[in-house]
Amino acid sequence: SKMVEQFQQKIESGSRTRQLIEARASCFQDKAKDFVIKSMNDMSKDLLKAIDAEEAGTVIEFNKLVETSFPPITVLLAGVLSPVVLSMSFTGHIIQLTLLFVPVFIL
């Protein structure tokens, strides 16, 4: 009880001992908060690096799949232009039919 009284006197409001204890306590609290925030930031950076690495691997894998299964440019052009070629062919045959064969059949 005597020790408690002495301690209370030393840490009374406005005393130098109380100010030192409060400063250390608040400093400790700030350091603990900074430590937790730094740890969380480091963990999130590592997590983002892992996700980015996985995503980059997926993109590279997708590019390889597209390169191996994508048809050559000549085949693509043939597929795109084939309706035009077919319609021009059809038009040419109709012109031949009307200008060449119909007059021959009439004579």
Side-chain angles (χ1 to χ4, degrees), residues 41-77:
N41 283 339
D42 290 344
M43 183 184 67
S44 62
K45 285 178 187 176
D46 292 341
L47 185 61
L48 287 175
K49 284 180 186 176
I51 290 171
D52 287 343
E54 185 177 315
E55 186 177 309
T58 304
V59 169
I60 290 171
E61 187 176 305
F62 176 75
N63 287 343
K64 286 181 183 176
L65 283 172
V66 168
E67 287 174 5
T68 57
S69 64
F70 207 68
I73 190 71
T74 54
V75 174
L76 285 176
L77 286 175

Side-chain angles (χ1 to χ4, degrees), residues 21-101:
I21 291 172
E22 286 177 350
R24 293 287 181 156
S26 66
C27 184
F28 176 76
Q29 188 178 16
D30 291 341
K31 286 181 182 179
K33 183 179 75 172
D34 291 343
F35 174 74
V36 170
I37 290 174
K38 184 182 180 311
S39 296
M40 294 297 286
N41 283 339
D42 290 344
M43 183 184 67
S44 62
K45 285 178 187 176
D46 292 341
L47 185 61
L48 287 175
K49 284 180 186 176
I51 290 171
D52 287 343
E54 185 177 315
E55 186 177 309
T58 304
V59 169
I60 290 171
E61 187 176 305
F62 176 75
N63 287 343
K64 286 181 183 176
L65 283 172
V66 168
E67 287 174 5
T68 57
S69 64
F70 207 68
I73 190 71
T74 54
V75 174
L76 285 176
L77 286 175
V80 169
L81 295 177
S82 63
V84 174
V85 171
L86 287 173
S87 65
M88 288 174 58
S89 238
F90 177 73
T91 305
H93 284 105
I94 295 296
I95 290 172
Q96 284 179 1
L97 181 69
T98 55
L99 295 178
L100 296 176
F101 298 121

